[in-house]
Amino acid sequence: MHVSSTDVYGYPTDPKKSTTPKKCGLFYADSKVAAEEAVQECGARGLPATIIRPVTIYGPGSESIVKEFVTTLRRNQMAYIGGGAANAGLCYVENVIDALLLAAQHPKASGEAYTISDDLSVTWRDFLSTLAKIVNCRPPAVSIPFPLAYAAGWVMEHATPSGSQKRPLLTRMAANLLGKSQNFSTERARVELGYVPRVGFAEAMVAVKAWINQGFP
């Protein structure tokens, strides 16, 4: 089994219609496409493999989505992109595990690819405002239009010295993630695997809060 991500779709305008990987010129996303191609090549040679494409995974232990966002909120450096109106495409970690187990146990899953999410209407504004309330911070007070955020990400990426261990404050990938809808369809996983998200947003954020209150172990 190979866990990829919906980055393979290249941040499309209409995610619901996205079923085929497409390179978009961003190294991280394109590396995911290349990894899937390698897995499929092995599959063609007889190695059983199923590709799982989760959207944005979050929950206790999440460094990039929970811990990093909390840190940025506490520094008052977080901003909405496009008003925070984009569907966040969240996928709680336990729901991802459920999908992995279903795929591993399904006799017809080998050689197939499935998109996995919680199928929520939660936007980034919803997520960040909830997270801000949990840590007693103000939610973002600034919103950056998507085209401006994407351009700023390009500038910051190219202004960062090669080999630097410090990541730019904003990248094109972050602009795409926070500024474009991640509402990908999970219909195939539901129909073929019987996948149904078990943990909802409210319950998931209770678990996130408990982890944060432990002091980010």
Side-chain angles (χ1 to χ4, degrees):
M1 185 177 298
H2 174 70
V3 181
S4 188
S5 74
T6 49
D7 296 304
V8 298
Y9 297 129
Y11 312 105
T13 302
D14 188 352
K16 282 291 186 182
K17 295 181 179 180
S18 300
T19 57
T20 305
K22 177 182 178 181
K23 291 186 177 180
C24 64
L26 298 180
F27 294 135
Y28 179 81
D30 289 354
S31 73
K32 294 288 186 178
V33 178
E36 285 200 9
E37 290 172 347
V39 170
Q40 289 167 347
E41 184 178 339
C42 291
R45 296 179 180 180
L47 178 67
T50 301
I51 294 173
I52 299 297
R53 299 169 181 154
V55 192
T56 301
I57 303 175
Y58 77 112
S62 170
E63 295 282 331
S64 60
I65 297 301
V66 175
K67 186 174 181 177
E68 191 166 318
F69 281 18
V70 166
T71 300
T72 308
L73 283 166
R74 284 172 170 164
R75 292 174 179 169
N76 199 29
Q77 294 179 333
M78 196 78 204
Y80 294 122
I81 295 178
N87 186 301
L90 299 173
C91 198
Y92 185 62
V93 61
E94 290 186 17
N95 293 337
V96 178
I97 293 170
D98 288 346
L100 292 172
L101 292 174
L102 285 170
Q105 296 165 3
H106 200 289
K108 295 183 179 180
S110 180
E112 305 296 337
Y114 299 96
T115 299
I116 302 297
S117 82
D118 290 348
D119 281 334
L120 301 172
S121 59
V122 176
T123 65
W124 282 115
R125 180 176 285 272
D126 297 329
F127 180 77
L128 287 169
S129 61
T130 302
L131 200 58
K133 187 179 293 184
I134 286 174
V135 296
N136 297 314
C137 286
R138 290 183 301 173
V142 175
S143 176
I144 306 172
F146 174 77
L148 180 59
Y150 191 86
W154 185 93
V155 171
M156 291 183 186
E157 287 174 31
H158 286 76
T160 301
S162 178
S164 173
Q165 298 298 310
K166 187 176 181 181
R167 189 167 60 185
L169 184 61
L170 182 61
T171 64
R172 288 172 292 169
M173 180 180 155
N176 277 317
L177 178 68
L178 299 175
K180 288 189 176 181
S181 174
Q182 307 296 312
N183 189 25
F184 294 92
S185 174
T186 61
E187 182 178 2
R188 191 177 186 198
R190 288 176 177 273
V191 172
E192 296 183 12
L193 301 180
Y195 169 72
V196 178
R198 177 170 50 85
V199 182
F201 181 66
E203 182 182 349
M205 293 307 283
V206 169
V208 166
K209 180 179 181 178
W211 180 65
I212 290 173
N213 288 342
Q214 290 175 6
F216 290 131

